[in-house]
């Protein structure tokens, strides 16, 4: 099956610093990648949708200047949390979609971010 | 706009028994897909089963089967012969056909399988 990796799997950073999370599709090309945020015991909340070579589309209420998304190639998307604060601590999950003819999303294992 | 509702926040079942998780959805689309995802304590999202809306036959994957009632917009998941490894959060999800692939998730049901 298709594999999506995320790096790092967990990260601790100090308040005010920035942290970058990578999402890679290992054995397929992802036309679209998605970034989700998940709070404890809650569902996945879609943050943004990114297409290769174009600007990401952010969901309402998500600060695009804080959560920078770059989809540089068909196999790599990055999420950068800028000037992180403790309230940004969360579990971030990416997923990848092959294209309109596909009905499946492949999920990465997630990244736990803790901001101290 | 599409919505997905899971009305059971938590459920429990004895090992080897059968349990059904409920999901209803609302959409005006005719071409769509429905999914059940499992999220174990590792938090890796795992696809359990999917159903294409145009297919009348209910999807089945080993011990997992769905009851897809299109007119009622209901999509329940039945787990037979429950195993301890089935303990997880289960999310019902909707995807519009031909879209970028955006998934709309329900709030989830926490299933505990007891020995």
């Amino acid at each position: 099956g298709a594999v999506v990796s995320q790096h790092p799997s967990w990260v601790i950073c100090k308040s005010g610093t920035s942290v970058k999370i990578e999402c890679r599709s290992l054995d397929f090309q992802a036309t679209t990648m998605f970034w989700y945020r998940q709070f404890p015991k809650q569902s996945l909340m879609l943050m943004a949708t990114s297409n290769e070579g174009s600007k990401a589309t952010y969901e309402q209420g998500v600060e695009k200047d804080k959560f920078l998304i770059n989809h540089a190639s068909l196999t790599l998307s990055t999420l950068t949390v800028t000037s992180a604060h403790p309230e940004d601590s969360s579990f971030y999950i990416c997923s990848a979609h092959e294209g309109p003819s596909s009905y499946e999303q492949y999920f990465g294992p997630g990244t736990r971010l803790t901001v101290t | 706009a599409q919505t997905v509702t899971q009305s059971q926040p938590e459920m429990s079942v004895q090992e080897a028994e059968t349990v059904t998780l409920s999901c209803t959805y609302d959409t005006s689309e005719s071409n769509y897909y429905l999914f059940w995802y499992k999220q174990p304590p590792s938090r890796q999202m795992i696809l359990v089963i999917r159903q294409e809306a145009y297919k009348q036959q209910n999807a089945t994957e080993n011990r997992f089967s769905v009851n897809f009632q299109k007119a009622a917009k209901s999509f329940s998941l039945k787990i037979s012969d429950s195993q301890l490894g089935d303990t997880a959060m289960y999310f019902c999800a909707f995807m519009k056909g031909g879209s970028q692939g955006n998934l709309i998730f329900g709030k989830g049901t926490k299933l505990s399988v007891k020995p």
Side-chain angles (χ1 to χ4, degrees):
Chain A
V3 178
V4 174
S5 69
Q6 266 184 257
H7 178 78
S9 56
W10 61 273
V11 58
I12 301 172
C13 70
K14 291 187 181 297
S15 188
T17 63
S18 296
V19 61
K20 180 185 286 188
I21 302 170
E22 290 188 350
C23 176
R24 293 181 184 273
S25 57
L26 299 185
D27 49 4
F28 67 100
Q29 293 186 327
T31 305
T32 306
M33 287 185 169
F34 302 89
W35 287 95
Y36 297 89
R37 184 173 181 177
Q38 187 179 32
F39 292 104
K41 299 184 180 181
Q42 293 190 23
S43 188
L44 282 70
M45 181 190 77
L46 180 65
M47 299 176 65
T49 302
S50 73
N51 292 292
E52 184 262 343
S54 61
K55 288 185 179 181
T57 302
Y58 291 82
E59 295 299 303
Q60 192 172 8
V62 177
E63 300 176 63
K64 58 183 177 183
D65 293 332
K66 179 167 202 47
F67 298 100
L68 300 179
I69 292 171
N70 183 25
H71 194 155
S73 75
L74 285 172
T75 59
L76 173 64
S77 177
T78 60
L79 167 67
T80 301
V81 183
T82 63
S83 187
H85 291 284
E87 57 265 31
D88 298 325
S89 298
S90 192
F91 192 68
Y92 293 88
I93 303 173
C94 75
S95 69
H97 187 236
E98 290 181 278
S101 61
S102 172
Y103 45 65
E104 196 155 342
Q105 276 193 35
Y106 303 99
F107 286 85
T111 296
R112 179 176 299 283
L113 170 64
T114 301
V115 184
T116 60
Chain B
Q2 291 82 19
T3 58
V4 177
T5 303
Q6 292 178 251
S7 58
Q8 305 152 316
E10 293 191 37
M11 291 193 73
S12 66
V13 63
Q14 291 295 129
E15 195 175 7
E17 293 188 348
T18 296
V19 64
T20 299
L21 308 184
S22 301
C23 173
T24 58
Y25 61 97
D26 190 24
T27 185
S28 58
E29 301 290 336
S30 58
N31 180 21
Y32 56 89
Y33 302 92
L34 296 165
F35 305 85
W36 279 98
Y37 284 92
K38 170 185 177 180
Q39 189 180 41
S42 68
R43 303 190 79 170
Q44 170 73 58
M45 294 289 283
I46 300 167
L47 176 65
V48 174
I49 200 165
R50 68 170 174 266
Q51 174 81 44
E52 292 88 339
Y54 64 85
K55 289 187 177 179
Q56 291 187 333
Q57 187 172 8
N58 289 325
T60 299
E61 288 287 344
N62 301 313
R63 298 183 295 108
F64 300 88
S65 62
V66 298
N67 183 4
F68 175 45
Q69 299 291 324
K70 191 171 183 178
K73 296 181 181 174
S74 171
F75 183 61
S76 61
L77 174 69
K78 185 171 82 171
I79 305 174
S80 304
D81 185 24
S82 297
Q83 299 176 359
L84 296 178
D86 295 333
T87 293
M89 283 290 290
Y90 286 82
F91 294 100
C92 179
F94 171 100
M95 179 191 291
K96 177 182 171 183
S99 67
Q100 289 191 101
N102 305 56
L103 280 168
I104 298 170
F105 287 95
K107 291 189 174 183
T109 297
K110 182 178 179 182
L111 176 67
S112 298
V113 180
K114 300 183 185 305

